[in-house]
Amino acid sequence: MKHRNSILLILLFFSFQAFAQKGTIKGRIYDSKNNQPIEFATIIIQGSTISSTSDPDGNYIFTGIDPGFKHLVVNLVGYQTTVSPEFQVQGNQITFIDIALIHSEVQLGEVTVRQNFMAKKIESPLSVLSVGVQEIEKTAGANRDVSKVIQTLPGVGVTDPNRNDLIVRGGGPSENVFYLDGIEIPVINHFATQGSSGGTVGVINPDFVRDIDFYTGAFPADKGNALSSVMDIKQKDGSKDRIHTKLSVGASDAALTLDGPLGSKSTFIVSARQSYLQFLFAAIGLPFLPTYNDFQVKVKTRINKKNEITFLGIGAIDNDALNTGIKNPTESQAYLLAYLPTYVQWNYTVGAVYKHFAETHYDTWVLSRNMLRNTNYKYKDNNTDSVKTSDYKIGRAHV
């Protein structure tokens, strides 16, 4: 009994320590067109009276901040009031948030200024919905899956609650386009169906996501070839202070994420994730054993004040094997084992985004390649020494 009480007290002590720890917010305020630092901008933590001011290099800092989900609001004469994407402050850690300001032509005089925290984007004032970190983390039943969070938005329908197909305003699942930091990614789900954007589990690691803009119309000029929707996913940058490690365990998988600096000009964030559904399915005697793995990597280098380059990579390996080790299978199990093929699929997207800032504008250059290989096969009586009764293979590459 004494040992139990001691363990309980230790757990309570560490829980109290974790709750009591404060976080730090650091970042940079800069001009969206030329990447020049902005001095004397006022930064406020939304919903509080805590504020800071950017220095001559555009840098700002908040210390002693309670953990939780936050927004920053930035104000400066000559620029539009800007609200940062939602982010999470964690105890005893530094969160880096860089914010770009857009010029605003204002004729000084007698004016009334009101902050609009729900401001829409100029290019798509009515047809864009934004999703933040808190919605991804806390949407009921979504299991931190990006596609399932999007399915809860207005105008989005589903075909099957067990799949991630997006039906936007009556369109088909193949009519949606997905971008990751400006690079188009054709596959964002594991076990994706050919000709459809859907699958059973999302490939995107939510620990990478900074925010998502979901367009259901009036698509931006640089994101064409969409009929129903555009999902523009923006990823976090790696931490600039030190290496951080995060282990996430979900309902069906576990992920390890590392992020930190690579020298004085570069940061990285990388993750690997593997499912453990196959062990659960084997334990309850299901005739199929799905296994999925995925990886993500982002390296961002700020070459100088006018040039930066980002390297991205995302990929997945899916394997739906048959549980041929079932002893004395039931009639239903035997039927499925005789009918279902072995399914193997892998895909990847790699690319680079180069951005050059001029005095009044910036140029973005994107180079990427994606590849999808889908195979399934079936042996007679599930005996690999026997003949194949079906053998299907398809591959697709795009640069």
Side-chain angles (χ1 to χ4, degrees), residues 146-392:
V146 168
S147 295
K148 291 193 181 299
V149 174
I150 296 298
Q151 286 179 345
T152 65
L153 298 178
V156 182
V158 297
T159 57
D160 186 326
N162 297 316
R163 286 185 55 83
N164 285 350
D165 298 284
L166 299 179
I167 309 297
V168 182
R169 295 182 178 177
S174 61
E175 298 177 353
N176 308 297
V177 180
F178 310 95
Y179 286 88
L180 190 66
D181 283 345
I183 293 178
E184 183 176 351
I185 51 173
V187 180
I188 66 167
N189 290 291
H190 291 285
F191 302 105
T193 303
Q194 184 181 344
S196 171
S197 61
T200 55
V201 182
V203 174
I204 304 295
N205 186 341
D207 293 331
F208 272 58
V209 177
R210 186 183 69 190
D211 68 305
I212 301 172
D213 289 330
F214 186 65
Y215 297 87
T216 58
F219 308 127
D222 61 339
K223 295 178 175 60
N225 300 323
L227 296 176
S228 290
S229 73
V230 170
M231 187 188 299
D232 186 12
I233 305 169
K234 301 180 183 66
Q235 298 184 106
K236 301 174 182 176
D237 294 337
S239 297
K240 301 175 183 178
D241 59 336
R242 59 183 176 87
I243 300 293
H244 294 264
T245 304
K246 181 176 182 181
L247 177 64
S248 303
V249 179
S252 59
D253 54 53
L256 177 64
T257 303
L258 299 173
D259 70 289
L262 285 175
S264 60
K265 295 184 177 181
S266 302
T267 61
F268 80 96
I269 179 169
V270 62
S271 79
R273 182 168 57 166
Q274 184 174 37
S275 68
Y276 50 80
L277 270 181
Q278 64 273 22
F279 304 113
L280 300 177
F281 283 19
I284 61 179
L286 291 181
F288 47 88
L289 303 174
T291 305
Y292 60 86
N293 306 268
D294 56 53
F295 69 87
Q296 267 183 264
V297 61
K298 176 182 179 179
V299 177
K300 184 175 181 179
T301 300
R302 188 182 178 194
I303 302 171
N304 51 46
K305 292 183 178 180
K306 293 294 185 179
N307 300 278
E308 64 183 36
I309 188 168
T310 302
F311 297 95
L312 302 178
I314 182 171
I317 303 173
D318 306 326
N319 185 7
D320 195 359
L322 297 179
N323 189 5
T324 56
I326 298 178
K327 297 180 178 180
N328 302 319
T330 64
E331 182 178 349
S332 175
Q333 290 172 332
Y335 171 78
L336 290 175
L337 286 171
Y339 167 72
L340 291 175
T342 298
Y343 172 94
V344 180
Q345 176 177 285
W346 57 265
N347 66 86
Y348 68 83
T349 300
V350 293
V353 180
Y354 169 72
K355 183 175 286 188
H356 170 71
F357 294 90
E359 291 302 320
T360 58
H361 69 281
Y362 63 86
D363 299 321
T364 302
W365 297 79
V366 178
L367 177 64
S368 67
R369 172 186 169 87
N370 59 71
M371 178 70 186
L372 169 70
R373 176 64 57 83
N374 184 305
T375 62
N376 69 70
Y377 53 87
K378 183 71 176 178
Y379 287 95
K380 184 178 180 180
D381 299 326
N382 295 322
N383 183 359
T384 56
D385 295 328
S386 182
V387 296
K388 285 184 178 180
T389 58
S390 68
D391 190 0
Y392 171 85

Side-chain angles (χ1 to χ4, degrees), residues 30-32 38 75-81 101-104 106:
Y30 63 97
D31 191 295
S32 63
I38 297 177
N75 293 287
L76 183 65
V77 174
Y79 290 89
Q80 297 180 15
T81 297
L101 300 188
I102 301 173
H103 277 280
S104 176
V106 178

